[in-house]
Amino acid sequence: MRLDAGAKNAADLELEFAWFAQVVDARFKRYFGPPADALQHAGTDPLGIAAPSLSGARSDFAKLLRRHRATPLERLALVLALLPHCKPQLLDIFHTRNQTFDRQFTEFGGQRDAAGDFTPTGQTLAFLVAGAALAPRFALQSLFEREHWFATERLLHLAPPEPTPSLQKGALAGVLACVLALSGEGLALCTTGRAPRPNLGLDFPARPLTTALQWSDLVLHPGTLAQVQDILVWVRHGATLMDGWGMRPKLRPGHRALFYGPPGTGKTMTAALLGKVTGREVYQVDLSLVVSKYIGETEKNLARVFDQAQHKGWILFFDEADALFGKRSETKDAHDRYANQEVSFLLQRIETFDGIAILASNQRENIDAAFARRFEAIIYFPVPSAEQRLQLWRQSLPGQARLADDVDLSDIAQRFELCGGAILNAVRQVCLGALDDASHCITRDALQRAIARELDKEGREA
Ligand SMILES: Nc1ncnc2c1ncn2[C@@H]1O[C@H](COP(=O)(O)OP(=O)(O)OP(=O)(O)O)[C@@H](O)[C@H]1O
Ligand SMILES: [Mg+2]
C-alpha cells in the first residue's frame, strides 16, 4: 500500500517539478535576457506557463492540491519546499553568481549552508513569481497566515533564517527572509504517501484503532447496517452539504453517533472498519485514563485529541462512553467535581467537533439524555438473529478445521443466542482443542462445552 502511494506521488511530483523547471527557465530568461528577446519569446511570463492538470491524478499530493484548489503560487511554494528533500539539483541554478558585483544574487534569496546547499526562502518564491516587481510579492504574505491551508494542514511554515537576524523586520521582509519549511508530516504526505502517525506520547489519551477484518466480515442486522452506512454518506457528502449547499450556519458541525448494544456485537469492529473503508485513522479515546489518571491534565490532553482529530480527519471513538457521558452525578468529593468539569468540557468539545465522533456503550439508558439529543445517530447493535449467528459461525471457523459429522451448525446457531464476540471465543477454544489432540476435528461435544463456557461467562445457562 505504502509503496503504491509513494509511486503515485513520485509520478505526479515529476510533472510538477518539470513545470517548476520551465517556470524557473522563463523567469531567468525574462530577468536576465535582453528585453526584446523577452518580449518575442512566447510564454516567457513564468506564471503564464500552465501547471500540470492533476484533475484525474490519484496521488495524495494531487488530492491535497485538489482539495484546496491550489493556485500556481501555492504550488510553487510547495515545490520550493519539497525540492531540497526530493531534487536539490533543480535548485542549482540559484547558485549563479552576479558577475558585476561578484557575489550571490540578492534577488534569489535562499539560505546557503556550510556545504553550499541552497534552501529556498520567501524571497526565492518572490523572485520566481514576480522578478523584481513589487505588487505580486504582497500576495505571498497571505500564504503564511494562520488560516491558510499550509498552516491548518500543518504542512508548510516559515522558519526564521539561521542565524536569526537581530534586525526586527516588517511582515513582508520577514516572509522574504524566512526559509520555506515543510513539516515532517507534510513531507511524508507529498512523498511516501500518507502521513505517519504522529508520536503522541504516553500521556495522550487516544490510541489508533485498526482491524485486519474486512467490511464483508461484518454481520449486522439490516437496520443497523443501514444506519452505519449513513455515516459513510456523511463522509462522502458532508462537506458539500455544509459548504457547497450552504448549510453550515444551520447545522451542527460534524457527525456524532452512539453505538449501543450488548458486549461482542461488533461496535468496536464497526468503528475500526469505518476508518478502514474511508481511509481515515480511527483513534480510540481511553476514557478510563481520562477520568481516573489525568485529573487536571485531562482537559489539556483532550483538547489535543480534538485538535489533532479535527485537522487530520480522524474518527474519534469513545469506548465505554458511560464512564464520562453517564448521568451526571451529584458532586460528592473532589474527584467527582473534577469528573463533572471534564464531562462539561467533553460535551462542549464533542458538540462543536467538526469530524466524526462515535461513542460506544452497552446501554443506551446509561447515556445522559441531554447529551443523547445531540447525536446525529443512535444505533442499536442487537444480539444477532439465528440466521446471522449461523453466518458468524461459518465465517469464524477456519478452513483447516474439520467439523465432525454430528455437528449441525444451523441447529447450534438456532439454539444458542451468542454474539459475534462469544462465537469467536468458542471457536478459538474448540480449534485449540482440535489442534492439541492432533485430530483437527471439531466435535459436537467440544462445541457444546465451549458454548457452555461462553454462556457461563455471561451468567447464563446452556
Ligand atoms: N456483527 C459482527 N459481525 C462480525 N463479527 C463480529 C460481529 N460482532 C462481533 N464480531 C467479532 O467479535 C469481535 C469482538 O467484537 P467487538 O469488540 O466489535 O464487540 P463490541 O460490541 O465492541 O463489544 P463491547 O461492548 O464488549 O466493547 C470482533 O472483532 C469480531 O471478530
Ligand atoms: Mg467494544
Side-chain angles (χ1 to χ4, degrees), residues 264 267-269 284 317 319 360:
K267 300 180 292 295
T268 303
M269 172 185 175
Q284 176 163 356
F317 180 64
D319 208 2

Coordinates of all heavy atoms in Angstrom, one line a residue, residues 264 267-269 284 317 319 360, ligand 2:
G264 N -19.7 -7.6 22.5 CA -19.4 -8.6 21.5 C -20.3 -8.5 20.3 O -20.4 -9.4 19.5
K267 N -19.5 -3.4 17.9 CA -19.4 -2.0 17.9 C -18.0 -1.5 17.6 O -17.8 -0.6 16.7 CB -19.9 -1.5 19.3 CG -21.3 -1.9 19.6 CD -21.8 -1.4 20.9 CE -21.1 -2.0 22.1 NZ -21.4 -3.5 22.3
T268 N -17.0 -2.0 18.3 CA -15.7 -1.6 18.1 C -15.2 -2.0 16.7 O -14.6 -1.2 16.0 CB -14.7 -2.3 19.2 OG1 -15.2 -1.9 20.5 CG2 -13.3 -1.8 19.0
M269 N -15.6 -3.2 16.3 CA -15.2 -3.7 15.0 C -15.7 -2.7 13.9 O -15.0 -2.4 12.9 CB -15.8 -5.1 14.8 CG -15.6 -5.7 13.4 SD -16.5 -7.3 13.4 CE -16.3 -7.7 11.6
Q284 N -9.1 5.7 19.3 CA -9.9 5.3 20.4 C -9.5 6.1 21.7 O -8.3 6.1 22.1 CB -9.7 3.8 20.7 CG -10.4 3.3 21.9 CD -10.6 1.8 21.8 OE1 -10.2 1.1 20.9 NE2 -11.1 1.2 22.9
F317 N -13.2 7.6 18.5 CA -14.1 6.5 19.1 C -14.0 6.5 20.6 O -12.9 6.3 21.1 CB -13.6 5.2 18.5 CG -14.4 4.0 19.0 CD1 -15.8 3.9 18.7 CD2 -13.8 3.0 19.7 CE1 -16.5 2.8 19.1 CE2 -14.6 1.9 20.2 CZ -15.9 1.8 19.9
D319 N -14.8 4.6 23.6 CA -15.3 3.3 24.1 C -15.8 3.4 25.5 O -15.3 4.3 26.2 CB -14.3 2.3 23.9 CG -14.9 0.9 23.7 OD1 -16.1 0.8 23.6 OD2 -14.1 -0.1 23.6
A360 N -19.4 4.5 22.2 CA -20.0 3.2 22.4 C -20.3 2.9 23.8 O -19.6 3.4 24.7 CB -19.0 2.1 21.9
Ligands
MG2 MG -16.1 -2.6 22.1

